[in-house]
């Protein structure tokens, strides 16, 4: 499936002098990034609380680093050599990302299915 990205009104913040960045449209707390979206956005804390402890437990059992950059890679890359071929982990992370996407759509007032292309 290919995801179409819908643009929301841009909220900017000043960082590094005059450089501008877009704030997360859900929480308006930090610049929007994949790490913020998956691991930090307070607007998605409920979803994170449902999935992240299970993901972290898998990482502990597999003796993987849980530092944010590595953890992010394990979550977004099901072909990562350290997690590839573990169906329970793949299903868990896939469901987590899908749920995060749906929650973002709900928070921002959209219908998540209208932005999905089956293909």
């Amino acid at each position: 499936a290919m995801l179409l990205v819908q643009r929301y009104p841009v909220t900017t913040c000043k960082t590094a002098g005059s450089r501008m960045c877009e704030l997360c449209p859900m929480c308006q707390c930090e610049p929007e990034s994949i790490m913020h979206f998956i691991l930090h956005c307070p607007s998605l804390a409920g979803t994170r609380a449902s999935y992240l402890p299970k993901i972290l437990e898998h990482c502990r059992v597999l003796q993987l680093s849980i530092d944010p950059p590595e953890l992010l890679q394990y979550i977004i890359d099901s072909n990562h050599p350290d997690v590839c071929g573990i169906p329970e982990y793949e299903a868990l992370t896939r469901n987590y990302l899908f749920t995060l996407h749906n929650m973002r759509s709900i928070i921002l007032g959209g219908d998540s299915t209208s932005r999905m292309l089956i293909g």
Side-chain angles (χ1 to χ4, degrees):
M2 182 190 345
L3 182 65
L4 294 178
V5 178
Q6 178 176 336
R7 298 303 301 171
Y8 295 93
V10 174
T11 306
T12 58
C13 62
K14 284 196 171 234
T15 60
S18 62
R19 214 172 119 239
M20 299 301 279
C21 61
E22 291 185 30
L23 283 177
C24 171
M26 292 179 290
C27 71
Q28 305 287 312
C29 295
E30 293 181 24
E32 187 171 36
S33 70
I34 191 77
M35 186 170 299
H36 173 75
F37 174 67
I38 293 174
L39 298 177
H40 301 297
C41 183
S43 297
L44 299 170
T47 300
R48 194 172 304 108
S50 296
Y51 286 90
L52 208 50
K54 297 170 193 168
I55 291 170
L56 291 172
E57 183 57 30
H58 274 278
C59 289
R60 284 186 199 98
V61 168
L62 296 168
Q63 299 180 342
L64 302 176
S65 171
I66 57 170
D67 288 334
E70 290 87 1
L71 179 60
L72 184 64
Q73 285 303 309
Y74 302 142
I75 293 171
I76 64 175
D77 183 6
S78 61
N79 291 318
H80 191 286
D82 292 336
V83 294
C84 184
I86 304 171
E88 303 85 15
Y89 183 82
E90 182 183 349
L92 179 63
T93 56
R94 183 179 54 239
N95 290 337
Y96 176 48
L97 294 173
F98 181 77
T99 304
L100 287 174
H101 165 74
N102 282 339
M103 289 306 300
R104 183 181 195 278
S105 296
I106 291 167
I107 291 167
L108 296 176
D111 173 8
S112 64
T113 56
S114 68
R115 286 188 224 122
M116 299 287 288
L117 287 180
I118 308 301

